[in-house]
Amino acid sequence: MSLLVVGSIAFDTIKTPFGKITNGLGGSATYFSMAAQHLTDVNLVAVVGQDFSEDYIKILNDKNIDTSGLQIAPGKTFRWAGEYGFDLNEAKTINTELNVFQDFIPRLPSEYQSSKFVFLANIDPDIQAQILNQVNSPKLVACDTMNYWIENKPVSLRKVIDMVDIVTINESEARQLTSEYNLVKASRMILSWGPKTLIIKRGEYGILMFSNNSVFSAPAYPLEKLYDPTGAGDSFAGGLMGFLSNTGKTDEAAIRKGIIMGSVMASFCVEEFTPKRLIYLNPQEIKLRFQEFKNLTSFEDLTEII
Ligand code: AMP
């Protein structure tokens, strides 16, 4: 099955303790698509400005990412500047330039309207809702967001959260969204707004998944090579949704497996600046790291002592 994503395509300027990059290819939809294309066909809806080079569109198309929903609008592409200290879990936004996002009226190509798996990646929640409203009876819809939209569009964001099956969000954003420090209480609150599943991303501490009757936890892969956490959350979502779209399944067992595939993709993403690592990743590397994740959390039942 194919997977529809709407989100940002950006030029990112990023500084981490291990290096910096100016106007590199980024954006939530870019990282998401680059991870998901290893698992399923991806249909992309986004907007860029006239400064966006054809070479970048070719990079997407070379990976079979369908860009017929990509609009090229007059003006400049969205730009984000961020910085990380040694605590790589927390991005500090230095600058956000919405540019072509501001007047973007998203139109869903007719061949995308029957999409069964939909991801509303981090972008203006009004745009997320406008896209979702154009899809006929999807099987599974997930969304992400970030502090910028929690602060600037709280009402629209709550409406989107009410419309989706799965919310993926950072730990600090879950607290900000609910004004609740305790993540268990915060998750109960978000679940009470509508979604069936909440996935909290905790950076190097991994993932916590909550539904109304279960909790699941997955570690992050302990990496020696870690340069830039930008896009890890989007790559996680790409692995998760790519897996679900590939299998066509939406039950909890599939979501748990998808969470590990998401964690695999995030672990590769952070190994280099920009989505580069996801571009030259091969299926053997994905399989091997999935197995390494399994080994990381494998232990035997307690039988002899108690
Ligand atoms: P993350 O997976 O959370 O690290 O996402 C990082 C990506 O989000 C970067 O490549 C940015 O271009 C993009 N981004 C940053 N701020 C925003 C925003 N307000 N709306 C949409 N995308 C954004």
Side-chain angles (χ1 to χ4, degrees):
M1 268 179 225
S2 58
L3 171 59
L4 172 66
V5 57
V6 60
S8 59
I9 292 187
F11 287 130
D12 286 345
T13 295
I14 291 158
K15 199 168 156 200
T16 83
F18 315 107
K20 57 183 181 182
I21 186 156
T22 305
N23 290 333
L25 177 64
S28 56
T30 312
Y31 280 99
F32 177 91
S33 306
M34 281 301 175
Q37 54 85 16
H38 290 283
L39 305 156
T40 195
D41 294 334
V42 179
N43 297 330
L44 172 70
V45 173
V47 63
V48 292
Q50 282 153 331
D51 54 354
F52 196 74
S53 117
E54 283 288 330
D55 295 348
Y56 286 135
I57 298 178
K58 189 171 176 316
I59 292 175
L60 297 166
N61 294 152
D62 282 349
K63 293 290 168 187
N64 279 331
I65 296 165
D66 188 308
T67 51
S68 43
L70 178 65
Q71 289 181 35
I72 301 172
K76 281 166 73 180
T77 300
F78 172 75
R79 277 168 169 71
W80 180 69
E83 196 173 316
Y84 302 82
F86 276 102
D87 178 3
L88 293 172
N89 294 326
E90 200 71 64
K92 187 171 159 218
T93 293
I94 307 295
N95 190 30
T96 301
E97 271 181 48
L98 295 180
N99 299 331
V100 287
F101 266 19
Q102 262 156 333
D103 303 310
F104 178 44
I105 300 173
R107 279 182 305 274
L108 199 60
S110 55
E111 60 275 22
Y112 293 1
Q113 286 168 9
S114 55
S115 299
K116 292 294 164 215
F117 288 81
V118 180
F119 189 66
L120 310 172
N122 178 24
I123 198 172
D124 184 331
D126 288 328
I127 296 175
Q128 293 178 317
Q130 283 166 32
I131 283 295
L132 188 54
N133 286 332
Q134 296 174 60
V135 184
N136 306 318
S137 54
K139 188 169 174 178
L140 184 100
V141 182
C143 78
D144 192 4
T145 192
M146 73 178 293
N147 50 5
Y148 185 89
W149 303 114
I150 297 173
E151 285 153 27
N152 291 296
K153 295 263 180 118
V155 178
S156 304
L157 181 59
R158 271 291 289 275
K159 282 191 195 142
V160 169
I161 290 175
D162 180 41
M163 292 161 81
V164 304
D165 302 294
I166 302 179
V167 172
T168 69
I169 194 167
N170 284 348
E171 179 175 18
S172 60
E173 290 156 0
R175 293 189 169 118
Q176 185 184 12
L177 186 62
T178 56
S179 307
E180 170 60 60
Y181 183 81
N182 182 293
L183 286 181
V184 179
K185 289 185 184 165
S187 74
R188 294 282 160 248
M189 199 184 293
I190 296 171
L191 289 174
S192 77
W193 297 341
K196 293 192 266 302
T197 307
L198 173 71
I199 297 176
I200 299 186
K201 299 170 284 181
R202 305 182 63 231
E204 63 182 315
Y205 306 111
I207 296 293
L208 270 177
M209 182 207 83
F210 294 92
S211 68
N212 279 326
N213 42 29
S214 67
V215 184
F216 175 65
S217 163
Y221 190 73
L223 284 168
E224 240 183 272
K225 198 177 154 202
L226 200 167
Y227 290 104
D228 175 18
T230 306
D234 310 310
S235 309
F236 167 83
L240 165 68
M241 291 298 287
F243 177 83
L244 296 177
S245 161
N246 175 304
T247 58
K249 292 183 180 162
T250 59
D251 57 281
E252 188 175 322
I255 293 175
R256 286 180 180 225
K257 217 166 168 182
I259 283 174
I260 303 300
M261 186 56 87
S263 307
V264 165
M265 292 300 175
S267 75
F268 284 116
C269 168
V270 301
E271 288 183 355
E272 295 204 29
F273 280 84
T274 76
K276 209 188 297 167
R277 182 68 183 96
L278 297 170
I279 296 174
Y280 68 84
L281 188 59
N282 67 52
Q284 282 65 37
E285 291 174 307
I286 297 171
K287 274 190 200 152
L288 180 64
R289 189 150 300 171
F290 194 95
Q291 186 56 44
E292 285 169 339
F293 261 93
K294 197 154 182 256
N295 299 342
L296 191 63
T297 47
S298 161
F299 49 84
E300 290 185 3
D301 274 346
L302 188 60
T303 47
E304 310 87 15
I305 302 176
I306 302 171

